[in-house]
Every structure is written in C-alpha cells, then in structure tokens.
C-alpha cells in the first residue's frame, strides 16, 4: 500500500484537491481510502463518502492534531491494509504551524492557498518546508502576477518541493498530482519510522488544564517575550 | 558551503539574506562561517526555524541552486505548440493537428461543457495521451522532454480572466517591482516603468505608480494584468478568458502580447474579440469540431462591429460622465451603407 500525508492550513482546499485527484486515480483502477484528522469536528467524511471513498475520522480534542496523528497513523495503516486499499491518504488540518505530520519515506504533500497572502509561504513551518509536493490552490481568483510571486515564495520556503497549481473547483491540475501520487513509495508498516521534524513537547501547566493567569502558574516549558527593542 | 562566511552567503541573493535573518533573530556576525553559525544555533532557534541543522544546510544548498537556475536562461523557449487530436466524449476520434506559433492569436468557442477547459488543461500539462481526451501536445514539433514536462513550477499558460483580482495590499509600483524581483529582472526599475506605462496606454483612465492595487478600477486592473503578463510573465502562452468590455483597448492589448512573442488563446463569445484572431476553433462534445479561418468577409464585418463597439463605448462614457443619451444615435446608416 502507498501512503500519502496531505497537510495544510484550514480551508485551503485539501479535501477538494484530494477528491478531484482520487477521481483521476480511480480511472486507473486504484482503490483509495482516506483518514481525516482534525481537532474538534469535521464534515469532510461526508464529502469523501459522497465521492464513494472509504473514510475514517480521528478527532484530537484537547491535544495538537499532529501529535494525535503520530500516535494513530500506524493503526490507520492497518485499517487501510485490511480494507485492501492501494493508496491511503491522510488529510490533516495544520492548525499548528509548528507541527507537521510528514514522515520520512512517506510522500508528503502540503496544500497552500493564494488567498492567504503573498508572504504566507514563509510563515508556514515544517509542514511546507519539509514537504515533497507543494500544491497551490485558489489561483483562479487572483492575478497571474500574484500567482507567480506566490509560487516564487513557495519555492524559497521549500526549494526542493515540486510545486503544482491546482484549481480545487474545476480539478485542473488533478492529472499531474495523480501522476506524482502514483510515485509514492510503498509502505508496509510505519513502526520505527521517524517524523521529518520533531514535534515540540509543549508541557506547561496550561497544556494540562491550568486556567489561571500569572507568574506563579507558569512552570515547566515556558518561554517569555522580550520587550527590550520596543522600549528604546 | 560550510566554510563560507555569512556575509558571502548573503551576497548571493536577497532570499538567502532573508532566510539567514529569519533563522537567526539575534543576528550573528557576518564574518562567521556557516559551519560555526550552524553549530552555535540553539535548539530553541532550530525549533523556530522548523528544521534541524542538516535540514538548514540542505535548505541553503537547494536555495542557492534555485537562485542559479532562475538566473540562468535555462528555460526552454517555446516557438510552437502542436495539439494532436484524441477523441470526443463519445470516444469518436478527434481529427486534429493544430499548430500554434508565437505571435498567433487563436479563439476558442463552444458552449459550456463542450471541453474548453479540458483542452486548456491538456495544453498546460502537455498531455501525452494520458489525459481523458487522449490528446498529445508537441513542443517545437517534438514530444516534450518528460523532465521538463513535470518540471516544478513550470507554467506554460498565463491566465487572465474576469474573476481574477489583485488581492495583495501593495501599491502598483511596489508590487510590479516585487514581481520583477521574482523574475530576477536585471534592470528592475526600467521594467517596472515600462509595465506601468503600457498599462496606462491600454486603460482608458490613467493611474499612478503610488496608487494601491486594490483601488484600481476594473479596466485599470485588466490593463495592468495584461501589461504585467506581457512583459514579466515567464509563460509563453497567454489565455484570455471571457474579458468582455473591460474598458481597455483590446486591439492594443493583443498587439502588446504578440510583440512579446506570446501565443495568445482567447476564450470568448464577444464578436469583436473573436474576429480579431486569425483562426478560431469550435469545441463540441469534448473535441475540436472545426477550425474556422477568419476570412475576408468576416474581417469586413469586424470593421462594422468595431464601429458599433466604439459607438457603444462612447455611450458608456457619456453615462459615466453623467450625461444624457438623448441625441438620436447614428448607427443604422452605418449598417444601411453596406
Ligand atoms: N476559488 C477556489 N475555491 C476553492 C479552491 N479549492 C478549494 N476551494 C474552496 O475552498 C473551500 C474549502 O475547501 P476544502 O477542500 O473543504 O478545504 P480543506 O483544506 O479540506 O478544509 P478543512 O479540511 O476544513 O481544513 C471550499 O468552499 C472550496 O470550494 C480553488 O482552487 N479555487
Ligand atoms: Mg478538508
Ligand atoms: Zn502542534
Ligand atoms: Zn502548554
């Protein structure tokens, strides 16, 4: 089975991109299944089901969705194998720019959208910087010039990635993305594999339920802001 | 690379400078070597950068390589594109050998769902019988090199459509300069001036460098998009999608694109625009059903249509200026004369 991680900030068009691309893969006789990771709720499973795709949802609740992802992805692989899938795609909403679900040896896709602003590519962390493919959506509503500047900034953020333009509404770009997804390396198990970048172990009292503000309650992994340059 | 100093690295390209600054908020000494700098980075800094030491080094190397590639004129130049027929939606063969040379203007007509987007998609991805239409596209009379076909960020078609807007919050001058920097234009300021001058030439109402992009009128926006695409876009093909009566000089716009050696595709049902092209293709049921040469009769009709169009523009202008449209219109004689 081939495994692909698809990550990207909320509402950039991940589901649209996946559904359109899977259609292209299905014409080649490939069985694809989806795992959707999100924080609190999602209706993506309905979209996938409507497209005729087997799907499972993992909601992380109180922990970072990417942390939740690592603790569950190997089980997802087991599910996919049992279902006899050729390709398993894991969609996760990159809610935390600091974490990323990308795994070494597993094809990693990051979706970014052009409406998010020309400088966004440099603000997105390892999710974009360490992806193999950067899929750029929503180019249909911005100028050609902005598309070119945006692509350039994606290129600077991740000089090794393959950049693809994708229209999530018409599916333009699906054939190319399908071509690249077919090249994903086969994976039998993720047991023992490594993440491309470590996730921060954010254990401060607030991580585990503290709600009171104040210095006395800030223990453990706490970082403080510096105001030196502002008070000149 | 490890033995280079930060100052030497930064000298390569602003993008590298910017990366070094963003990676090191504290600001290291420029005389430091990359190796020393990397080893001195704290875990906190690395965590903020979102990469480990090897990945930072790898990133810098890839960045330097990209800068070299972008600077070089390694981009394959497209002199012609040839679309070879595939099949229509009912699997009947599409008999087609359509060659487009730089400077050609081709119109694409056909109802919604007739396969216009699919044809454009086939051109964009340089289809090799591997898309739903089975079409193949040749570049300069030969199948494209697969490496180039899937080259990252290669964009064959620059697109202009009614739905597109500038969304970035910058002035015209700032943004065009930014675009010129991405293209590594060596004579940036001159290019910026030229783009803005061309855009003003196309737009009815002129605008200044310092005006914000989002404040431009519809016509000014289209004009700037066309001038910028003609002079700064790397794409050899320009698709103009349903831009009708946008308040720009369409003839001049086409002339500008042709002068920049673009292949121009126009998807439109606006008669003036459609007849400006030398040929038009008719799409039906997912395939090209016919290629119509714009003949002498059609060119003669174009002249009449253009007169009507100009008159309509004048009426529009009067409306905009708050004037009345009470003078009897002198159009019927134009038509009767024929
Ligand atoms: N104009 C335009 N809209 C798009 C494009 N791609 C996606 N959209 C729209 O963007 C919205 C969000 O798309 P989704 O595919 O649900 O985005 P997502 O990233 O999966 O969202 P989450 O899973 O909720 O984070 C939808 O309304 C899509 O129709 C595109 O290329 N152009
Ligand atoms: Mg989604
Ligand atoms: Zn996180
Ligand atoms: Zn915490």
């Amino acid at each position: 089975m081939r495994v692909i991680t698809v990550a990207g900030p909320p509402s950039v068009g991940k589901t649209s991109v996946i559904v359109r691309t899977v259609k292209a893969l299905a014409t080649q006789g490939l069985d694809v299944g989806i795992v959707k990771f999100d924080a609190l709720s999602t209706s993506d499973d309905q979209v996938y089901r409507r497209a005729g795709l087997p799907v499972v949802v993992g909601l992380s609740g109180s922990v970072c969705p990417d942390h939740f992802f690592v603790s569950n992805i190997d089980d997802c692989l087991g599910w996919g194998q049992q279902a006899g899938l050729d390709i398993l795609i894991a969609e996760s909403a990159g809610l935390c720019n600091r974490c990323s679900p990308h795994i070494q040896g597993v094809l990693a896709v990051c979706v970014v959208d052009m409406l998010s602003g020309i400088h966004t590519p440099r603000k997105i962390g390892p999710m974009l910087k360490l992806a193999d493919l950067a899929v750029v959506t929503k180019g249909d509503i911005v100028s050609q010039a902005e598309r070119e500047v945006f692509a350039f900034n994606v290129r600077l953020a991740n000089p090794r990635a393959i950049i693809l333009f994708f229209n999530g509404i018409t599916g333009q770009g699906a054939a190319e993305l399908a071509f690249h997804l077919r090249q994903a390396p086969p994976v039998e198990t993720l047991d023992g594999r490594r993440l491309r970048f470590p996730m921060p172990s954010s254990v401060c009292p607030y991580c585990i339920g503290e709600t009171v503000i104040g210095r006395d309650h800030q223990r453990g992994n706490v970082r403080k802001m510096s105001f030196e340059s502002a008070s000149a | 690379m490890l033995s280079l100093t930060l100052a030497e690295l930064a000298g390569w390209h602003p993008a590298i400078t910017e990366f070094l600054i963003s990676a090191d908020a504290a600001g290291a000494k420029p005389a430091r070597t990359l190796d020393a700098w990397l080893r001195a980075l704290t875990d906190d800094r690395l965590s903020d950068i979102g990469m480990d030491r090897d990945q930072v080094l790898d990133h810098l190397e890839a960045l330097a390589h990209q800068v070299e590639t972008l600077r070089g004129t390694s981009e394959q130049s497209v002199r012609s594109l040839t679309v070879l027929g595939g099949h229509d939606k009912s699997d009947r063969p599409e008999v087609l050998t359509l060659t487009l040379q730089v400077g050609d203007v081709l119109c694409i007509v056909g109802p919604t769902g007739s396969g216009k987007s699919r044809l454009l998609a086939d051109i964009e991805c340089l289809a090799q019988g591997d898309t739903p239409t089975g079409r193949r596209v040749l570049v300069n009379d030969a199948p494209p090199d697969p490496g180039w076909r899937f080259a990252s960020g290669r964009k064959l078609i620059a697109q202009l459509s009614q739905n597109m807007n500038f969304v970035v919050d910058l002035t015209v001058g700032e943004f065009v300069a930014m675009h010129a920097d991405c293209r590594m234009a060596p004579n940036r300021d001159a290019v910026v001036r030229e783009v803005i001058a061309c855009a003003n030439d196309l737009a009815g109402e002129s605008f200044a460098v310092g005006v914000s992009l989002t404040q431009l009128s519809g016509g000014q926006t289209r004009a700037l998009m066309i001038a910028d695409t003609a002079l700064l876009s790397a794409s050899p093909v320009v698709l103009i999608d349903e831009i009708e009566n946008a308040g720009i000089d369409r003839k001049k716009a086409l002339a500008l694109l042709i002068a920049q050696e673009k292949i121009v595709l126009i998807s439109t049902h606006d008669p003036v625009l459609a007849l400006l092209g030398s040929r038009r293709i008719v799409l039906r049921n997912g395939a090209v059903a016919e290629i119509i040469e714009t003949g002498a009769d059609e060119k003669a009709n174009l002249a009449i249509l253009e007169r009507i169009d100009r008159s309509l523009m004048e009426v529009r202008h009067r409306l905009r200026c708050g004037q009345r449209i009470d003078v009897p219109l002198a159009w019927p004689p134009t038509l009767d004369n024929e």
Side-chain angles (χ1 to χ4, degrees):
Chain A
M1 192 171 65
R2 295 172 203 277
V3 182
I4 298 153
T5 53
V6 177
S11 300
V12 288
K14 297 178 294 294
T15 303
S16 314
V17 165
I18 294 170
V19 166
R20 307 257 166 206
T21 307
V22 167
K23 243 182 223 162
L25 290 169
T27 60
Q28 293 154 6
L30 295 168
D31 277 326
V32 184
I34 313 286
V35 190
K36 162 73 190 195
F37 288 92
D38 216 318
L40 298 175
S41 75
T42 180
S43 50
D44 280 358
D45 48 334
Q46 291 167 27
V47 181
Y48 288 123
R49 241 173 245 123
R50 231 179 294 134
L53 298 169
V55 54
V56 282
V57 168
L59 295 179
S60 61
S62 56
V63 301
C64 161
D66 289 314
H67 283 70
F68 179 77
F69 167 93
V70 218
S71 340
N72 286 281
I73 187 64
D74 209 20
D75 303 297
C76 295
L77 218 70
W79 169 76
Q81 278 156 342
Q82 227 156 34
L85 301 177
D86 299 308
I87 298 180
L88 178 73
I89 299 180
E91 173 188 340
S92 47
L95 295 166
C96 147
N97 277 341
R98 179 51 199 81
C99 296
S100 117
H102 302 321
I103 301 164
Q104 291 176 10
V106 171
L107 189 74
V109 180
C110 178
V111 184
V112 282
D113 92 69
M114 304 220 196
L115 285 181
S116 61
I118 242 154
H119 297 299
T120 302
R122 60 182 94 163
K123 296 185 206 153
I124 304 176
M127 182 165 72
L128 172 61
K129 286 180 179 151
L130 303 178
D132 302 305
L133 288 160
V135 174
V136 182
T137 58
K138 304 194 189 175
D140 52 317
I141 38 189
V142 307
S143 66
Q144 175 71 26
E146 283 161 295
R147 282 196 289 281
E148 292 183 12
V149 174
F150 194 90
F152 180 77
N153 286 340
V154 170
R155 167 130 326 301
L156 295 185
N158 184 342
R160 291 205 193 276
I162 293 169
I163 301 176
L164 289 175
F165 293 90
F166 203 109
N167 183 328
I169 294 184
T170 64
Q172 195 170 340
E176 293 83 304
L177 183 55
F179 168 84
H180 290 289
L181 297 193
R182 280 199 311 274
Q183 324 287 313
V187 179
E188 288 323 312
T189 171
L190 290 172
D191 197 24
R193 295 264 178 145
R194 283 178 182 282
L195 286 168
R196 294 193 185 193
F197 193 71
M199 294 178 178
S201 52
S202 48
V203 270
C204 70
Y206 299 104
C207 291
I208 47 172
E210 177 63 84
T211 53
V212 187
I213 298 170
R215 206 167 268 280
D216 290 349
H217 305 275
Q218 300 161 355
R219 282 179 310 270
N221 193 355
V222 174
R223 267 173 87 174
K224 301 295 286 181
M225 286 169 66
S226 157
F227 296 91
E228 267 164 51
S229 57
S231 56
Chain B
M1 187 180 249
L2 282 172
S3 58
L4 292 174
T5 67
L6 297 182
E8 285 167 327
L9 277 173
W12 280 7
H13 189 266
I16 295 177
T17 323
E18 200 179 298
F19 175 77
L20 290 172
I21 292 171
S22 71
D24 187 1
K29 289 194 192 67
R32 237 179 174 177
T33 65
L34 178 60
D35 190 35
W37 176 73
L38 273 176
R39 273 186 283 122
L41 283 178
T42 62
D43 285 348
D44 263 3
R45 286 294 337 147
L46 285 165
S47 158
D48 289 350
I49 302 170
M51 290 186 237
D52 63 29
R53 283 187 185 81
D54 288 342
Q55 285 162 342
V56 171
L57 182 60
D58 182 65
H59 180 91
L60 277 167
E61 277 168 355
L63 208 53
H65 178 74
Q66 282 295 338
V67 169
E68 291 299 304
T69 327
L70 286 165
R71 279 215 179 111
T73 42
S74 60
E75 213 147 312
Q76 184 182 348
S77 88
V78 174
R79 307 296 311 166
S80 76
L81 290 174
T82 307
V83 183
L84 303 176
H87 50 76
D88 71 7
K89 285 182 189 164
S90 326
D91 258 344
R92 277 187 303 256
E94 176 189 45
V95 185
L96 178 71
T97 307
L98 175 67
T99 301
L100 299 164
Q101 314 272 2
V102 291
D104 276 354
V105 178
L106 178 81
C107 288
I108 305 173
V109 299
T112 311
S114 59
K116 284 189 280 190
S117 327
R118 195 56 250 177
L119 172 66
L120 294 167
D122 284 345
I123 296 176
E124 177 65 65
C125 76
L126 296 171
Q128 294 303 311
D130 48 6
T131 62
T133 62
R135 288 193 185 104
R136 292 193 303 129
V137 179
L138 308 181
V139 178
N140 305 337
D141 299 318
D145 171 60
W148 187 67
R149 185 182 175 205
F150 293 110
S152 175
R154 176 193 63 74
K155 208 51 191 136
L156 207 55
I157 307 183
Q159 224 164 319
L160 275 158
S161 93
Q162 202 90 280
N163 302 333
M164 290 171 189
N165 277 299
F166 287 114
V167 293
V168 62
D169 190 13
L170 289 174
T171 68
V172 170
E174 286 167 342
F175 179 66
V176 178
M178 188 186 257
H179 191 195
D181 280 343
C182 295
R183 293 302 319 287
M184 313 255 165
N187 41 353
R188 183 181 90 169
D189 295 344
V191 176
V192 173
R193 273 198 303 276
E194 198 184 349
V195 168
I196 295 168
C198 280
N200 270 305
D201 191 36
L202 298 179
E205 338 140 65
S206 66
F207 57 90
V209 229
V211 69
S212 157
L213 279 175
T214 47
Q215 277 168 359
L216 298 179
S217 73
Q220 290 169 332
T221 301
R222 275 334 131 211
L224 181 58
M225 284 183 184
I226 290 175
D228 174 275
T229 301
L231 297 165
L232 275 176
S233 172
S235 305
V237 182
V238 177
L239 166 70
I240 301 177
D241 197 2
E242 298 291 355
I243 295 191
E244 294 169 18
N245 291 319
I248 55 163
D249 189 327
R250 284 166 287 183
K251 236 178 179 166
K252 267 192 201 161
L254 285 186
L256 175 66
L257 292 167
I258 293 168
Q260 296 301 317
E261 308 223 305
K262 301 288 185 187
I263 294 173
V264 184
L265 306 177
I266 308 177
S267 166
T268 186
H269 297 138
D270 171 356
V272 173
L273 206 47
L275 296 180
L276 277 175
S278 52
R279 284 179 295 172
R280 61 186 188 274
I281 55 174
V282 183
L283 280 149
R284 217 171 276 145
N285 195 31
V288 175
E290 205 180 337
I291 303 180
I292 302 176
E293 301 274 339
T294 315
D297 296 351
E298 287 194 329
K299 285 287 182 199
N301 280 331
L302 172 62
I304 298 173
L305 288 168
E306 279 179 326
R307 287 214 293 276
I308 298 175
D309 190 56
R310 263 197 303 277
S311 309
L312 260 177
M313 288 236 273
E314 273 162 36
V315 173
R316 256 191 222 109
H317 182 73
R318 291 178 66 83
L319 269 177
R320 197 179 298 127
C321 300
Q323 291 167 331
R324 289 174 207 281
I325 317 294
D326 47 4
V327 184
L329 296 171
W331 300 355
T334 321
L335 299 173
D336 292 346
N337 286 344
E338 289 306 306

